[in-house]
Amino acid sequence: MNIGRNDPCPCKSGIKYKKCHGNLKEKLTLLNPNIPIESAINQRMRDAKFKQCIHPEKEKCSNSIIKAHSIQNNRILTTLARNGMLYMIKGAPTAARYKLKFKEIGRKEATTFTGFCGYHDNMLFEPIEDKEYIGDEQQHFLFAYRAFSFEYHKKLEAQNAHKKIAFDKPSVLKDRDYLNKSENYELGVKDLLRHKDTFDSALLKNDFDVVETISFVLDGPAGLAVSSGFFLEYDISGHILNNLSLKNEIMRLLMFNIFPSEGNTIILFSWLKKDAEFYKRFRNQLLSLDNVKIIKLLNNLIPAYCENVVYNPDYIDNWDKIQKDEYLSIFQASFISVMGPIKRSLLQNTNYNLFDNITV
């Protein structure tokens, strides 16, 4: 792809290319060659961090943006931790590829993101942070909102990291794959801004009725917790829902939470009420499932769609290599496969079971 010096810069700054990225020098590498590769990748990720409070009442923000937990620290993470440590799935650079593995993460760092100031994080989430789950409208709203917030913030950080590549290697602006990915980030953020507008209005009015939630309670505590938002690509019967290949179509977020509570496992599927018709068939499918099929669904849904998951280390350590490898392979495929076979068959059998301590 050729770019004229006087053409608008493909970064969409509105400035001529010669005065924008065309004026930057090309770096030989994106990573610091003087430190180990894993440290260099982590440094690159830290440089792309996005720190802002996304709550609409900016005038009430405290001065500091904190590391807010997307999953409750004082009850859920404490319950799942082993000596203060949890497992999350993280990348491990190797000579061949970027391989995923279960990695120990400290409870104070796990599931954190810099999306709220201290005041709004403490004030807003107190009804789910400090109180047991009772399943009322406010709690369901807050669980959904926190899952949305994490996803929105993560998308902004990913977009920021992607943009920084062009400042170090401006030649990528001539690469069609890079530009296509830029467009996908823009579309993803645009879809999430639609949700943010609804959440912002609801927060200002204390209107918790904008979210619809389908909840399940399983008998026994699961060895994991989830807080995630994603565009569900297929329903349980394999019919297309969010078609990510259609760039002009509105994508509708599914907000998903799992957590232990008083010896049980709580599962929440949430979406905006204005998207209720879109999710109507999926809602009816969920309500038709018995607990055995709910667990089958979760065993496939979680690795195929959810990144923000914490695991009890003892629970995962009891899996054999076949179980771990299968789970991690599905998790890794979710990053490179859109509308893949796992996502079309959410009730298939798996060698692993995330809920084998649940009574069904």
Side-chain angles (χ1 to χ4, degrees):
M1 174 180 171
N2 294 321
I3 309 171
R5 284 175 49 78
N6 291 311
D7 289 342
C9 188
C11 77
K12 298 186 178 181
S13 64
I15 303 173
K16 289 182 179 180
Y17 178 66
K18 67 181 180 182
K19 293 185 178 181
C20 192
H21 281 80
N23 196 38
L24 299 177
K25 291 184 179 180
E26 187 92 358
K27 291 185 179 180
L28 294 177
T29 178
L30 294 174
L31 301 178
N32 186 341
N34 300 315
I35 58 177
I37 184 170
E38 187 166 5
S39 299
I41 290 172
N42 289 336
Q43 182 184 71
R44 185 87 191 172
M45 293 171 64
R46 285 194 299 271
D47 291 342
K49 286 288 184 184
F50 201 85
K51 297 182 180 181
Q52 69 165 10
C53 182
I54 68 172
H55 195 282
E57 288 185 317
K58 301 300 183 188
E59 69 279 5
K60 293 185 178 180
C61 283
S62 54
N63 292 328
S64 60
I65 302 298
I66 66 168
K67 288 184 177 179
H69 283 275
S70 57
I71 297 175
Q72 291 96 302
N73 181 25
N74 66 344
R75 287 186 299 107
I76 296 175
L77 298 185
T78 300
T79 299
L80 292 173
R82 178 179 66 190
N83 299 323
M85 304 298 288
L86 298 142
Y87 277 167
M88 295 189 76
I89 296 177
K90 300 291 183 180
T94 66
R97 60 181 179 139
Y98 200 64
K99 187 177 181 180
L100 295 177
K101 67 176 184 179
F102 289 102
K103 183 176 181 179
E104 276 197 329
I105 303 290
R107 178 172 59 82
K108 292 183 179 180
E109 292 294 320
T111 81
T112 58
F113 68 114
T114 51
F116 288 104
C117 68
Y119 169 75
H120 281 119
D121 183 63
N122 289 328
M123 176 275 297
L124 183 60
F125 297 111
E126 186 270 339
I128 59 174
E129 185 70 32
D130 297 331
K131 298 178 181 178
E132 289 292 343
Y133 173 77
I134 59 173
D136 64 12
E137 186 178 73
Q138 182 184 23
Q139 284 190 331
H140 284 169
F141 173 91
L142 292 174
F143 277 113
Y145 179 61
R146 190 143 68 176
F148 158 78
S149 300
F150 184 86
E151 177 64 21
Y152 175 64
H153 183 266
K154 182 183 69 175
K155 188 73 71 177
L156 291 177
E157 284 194 337
Q159 184 183 47
N160 193 33
H162 184 71
K163 287 180 177 179
K164 284 182 177 294
I165 293 173
F167 284 99
D168 291 336
K169 297 187 78 66
S171 61
V172 298
L173 290 174
K174 300 178 181 180
D175 181 76
R176 179 53 59 187
D177 287 340
Y178 176 86
L179 295 177
N180 285 339
K181 186 170 284 190
S182 297
E183 183 181 17
N184 288 336
Y185 279 126
E186 290 173 11
L187 292 170
V189 170
K190 181 181 178 181
D191 286 323
L192 291 176
L193 282 171
R194 169 182 173 269
H195 292 74
K196 187 176 187 302
D197 287 344
T198 299
F199 278 120
D200 284 353
S201 176
L203 288 168
L204 294 173
K205 298 174 183 177
N206 281 325
D207 176 16
F208 307 121
D209 190 39
V210 299
V211 169
E212 179 177 6
T213 296
I214 302 299
S215 62
F216 298 91
V217 179
L218 298 180
D219 185 12
L224 81 166
V226 183
S227 178
S228 190
F230 49 87
F231 301 122
L232 186 66
E233 295 170 48
Y234 291 91
D235 67 16
I236 296 171
S237 298
H239 296 107
I240 293 177
L241 284 174
N242 289 292
N243 190 336
L244 302 184
S245 66
L246 299 180
K247 295 185 176 182
N248 294 324
E249 188 170 300
I250 295 173
M251 301 294 128
R252 294 163 173 86
L253 197 70
L254 175 67
M255 292 151 284
F256 178 58
N257 290 272
I258 297 180
F259 52 91
S261 176
E262 298 185 308
N264 295 316
T265 297
I266 310 299
I267 303 153
L268 307 177
F269 294 89
S270 304
W271 45 79
L272 297 182
K273 277 194 173 177
K274 65 183 180 182
D275 294 332
E277 187 63 29
F278 179 84
Y279 276 112
K280 182 178 179 180
R281 182 163 57 185
F282 177 68
R283 174 188 183 278
N284 292 337
Q285 290 168 347
L286 283 175
L287 293 175
S288 72
L289 300 180
D290 59 24
N291 283 353
V292 172
K293 288 185 177 178
I294 286 288
I295 289 173
K296 275 190 177 183
L297 171 68
L298 298 177
N299 277 328
N300 288 283
L301 184 79
I302 292 170
Y305 285 103
C306 304
E307 296 177 45
N308 193 36
V309 186
V310 290
Y311 309 84
N312 170 256
D314 288 332
Y315 194 83
I316 297 301
D317 286 347
N318 284 327
W319 284 8
D320 60 31
K321 186 177 184 302
I322 292 174
Q323 292 169 315
K324 289 179 183 176
D325 286 350
E326 180 182 336
Y327 188 81
L328 292 173
S329 69
I330 295 172
F331 194 98
Q332 184 141 14
S334 70
F335 291 97
I336 58 176
S337 174
V338 175
M339 303 170 87
I342 294 295
K343 294 179 178 180
R344 287 198 299 268
S345 305
L346 292 174
L347 293 181
Q348 63 185 304
N349 293 322
T350 56
N351 287 311
Y352 59 84
N353 184 3
L354 292 164
F355 301 90
D356 63 4
N357 58 342
I358 299 295
T359 302
V360 294

